[in-house]
Amino acid sequence: MSRSSAIATAAVLALCVALTSCAPPRPDHPIIGAKNFTEQVVLGELLAQEIEAKSHLKVERRFYLAGSYICHQALIAGRIDAYTEYTGTALTAILKQPLQRDPRSVLDTVRRLYATQYNVTVGPPLGFENTFAMVIRGDDARRLHLSTLSQAARYTPQWRLGVGYEFEQRPDGLPGLSAIYSLHFAEPPRTMDLGLLYRALNAHQVDMIAANSTDGPIQAYGLTVLDDDRRYFPPYQAVPLVRDDALKRWPQIQSALDALAGKITAADMRDLNEAVDSQHRDPADVVSAFRKTRGL
């Protein structure tokens, strides 16, 4: 072999090694992911337990994967096989589509684009919607007689806002909300982990937070969710996203998706979140008990 041929062969071998080393591992079991807040961990555990029950497969958990973008990248790269997303988030933040208000249209669009662009199946909705919720202290709501965002807009120039990392930049987040309600605040938003928002609100470090409608602390702390009276936010139905390759490899996953369809109400989700956040119970135990009550 000539020196040039040897060099070329070595280069090809090096490239192959590099590509192989970059490829995700292909374990012989499904991997379920979740974002980095309580509800996502609960839903990830629910999906994992249901797959285990329906298939007797070992399921690996990879939870606390930051936000939507990280979970999406992990899914399409094959580093996780499934996670639960919300249709409005998928539509705007991931698929970069215009805002839509009809839940059926949003679901249809999300299903079609995930299938054609990413080879991902959008499973049947779990039964509840988790929309963004603009939350204030209950005492402030009663003192100022506030129930809607339109009413609150006159007071926000004196208020401080707390938000999660995604909400400040998302196309369905703060910029559009501020525009439609003419919201202005006393200072730039304070960005923090979702788990710290309620602590900051109760400590009067902020006066309004962008939270989630199914958060347990809303009821536990006697807080008020301001009504989105101009209907800015799109629908956010909770749906499992599963790689088509994973469904082909483990068709039992589909049985788990079908079994979970429509099984969780918004009230159920608040109770599950509260059990983990306020009662400090293990998410796996909380999910196991819930599955028993639903005959899963």
Side-chain angles (χ1 to χ4, degrees):
M1 179 183 293
S2 68
R3 185 171 182 274
S4 60
S5 296
I7 293 173
T9 300
V12 170
L13 288 173
L15 177 60
C16 290
V17 170
L19 291 174
T20 302
S21 65
C22 291
R26 304 302 303 167
D28 59 357
H29 55 264
I31 302 173
I32 304 303
K35 305 180 199 180
N36 61 341
F37 58 95
T38 298
E39 177 167 304
Q40 277 282 298
V41 173
V42 169
L43 293 175
E45 184 63 37
L46 179 63
L47 184 54
Q49 288 191 22
E50 195 62 25
I51 293 172
E52 289 172 335
K54 293 292 186 291
S55 68
H56 304 294
L57 290 165
K58 171 191 173 184
V59 176
E60 182 178 343
R61 280 82 161 159
R62 289 187 186 171
F63 297 164
Y64 302 100
L65 296 177
S68 303
Y69 304 108
I70 299 299
C71 276
H72 174 68
Q73 291 300 322
L75 184 70
I76 62 175
R79 300 189 182 279
I80 61 174
D81 294 299
Y83 80 101
T84 300
E85 190 52 274
Y86 307 94
T87 53
T89 299
L91 180 78
T92 59
I94 303 300
L95 299 170
K96 311 300 183 185
Q97 297 299 300
L99 286 172
Q100 298 180 36
R101 299 296 188 272
D102 178 65
R104 182 75 248 179
S105 296
V106 171
L107 180 60
D108 289 345
T109 299
V110 168
R111 276 186 167 147
R112 174 175 52 83
L113 294 180
Y114 267 93
T116 56
Q117 294 183 17
Y118 301 117
N119 296 314
V120 166
T121 291
V122 177
L126 297 177
F128 74 97
E129 180 180 340
N130 182 2
T131 187
F132 282 116
M134 305 308 293
V135 179
I136 62 175
R137 290 179 289 272
D139 288 346
D140 290 342
R142 288 184 290 273
R143 176 172 55 85
L144 300 172
H145 306 288
L146 301 178
S147 61
T148 70
L149 273 169
S150 292
Q151 293 170 343
R154 62 180 293 191
Y155 297 99
T156 57
Q158 289 80 49
W159 288 358
R160 296 153 298 174
L161 176 67
V163 300
Y165 295 107
E166 289 186 12
F167 188 75
E168 190 171 5
Q169 301 297 329
R170 278 177 51 155
D172 56 341
L174 183 59
L177 184 74
S178 297
I180 199 170
Y181 285 103
S182 298
L183 299 179
H184 304 280
F185 293 91
E187 59 186 49
R190 298 189 181 185
T191 307
M192 62 192 78
D193 286 335
L194 295 176
L196 298 177
L197 288 172
Y198 290 99
R199 188 182 305 175
L201 184 64
N202 286 330
H204 290 255
Q205 295 170 351
V206 296
D207 304 292
M208 177 189 283
I209 60 173
N212 300 307
S213 61
T214 53
D215 287 346
I218 293 174
Q219 182 174 345
Y221 297 147
L223 305 174
T224 295
V225 176
L226 296 171
D227 181 49
D228 176 21
D229 52 305
R230 297 184 182 176
R231 300 296 175 259
Y232 167 72
F233 293 118
Y236 295 93
Q237 295 184 81
V239 290
L241 303 183
V242 188
R243 297 173 60 249
D244 290 348
D245 285 348
L247 284 173
K248 291 175 184 176
R249 193 175 183 188
W250 303 293
Q252 309 98 311
I253 293 177
Q254 187 63 56
S255 298
L257 301 183
D258 294 340
L260 292 174
K263 286 296 193 298
I264 310 174
T265 66
D268 290 334
M269 198 68 247
R270 279 190 288 270
D271 289 342
L272 293 169
N273 290 335
E274 181 67 9
V276 175
D277 284 332
S278 295
Q279 300 171 26
H280 307 295
R281 294 171 57 193
D282 183 86
D285 294 338
V286 170
V287 168
S288 179
F290 175 78
R291 292 182 62 252
K292 289 178 181 177
T293 66
R294 291 298 186 272
L296 294 168

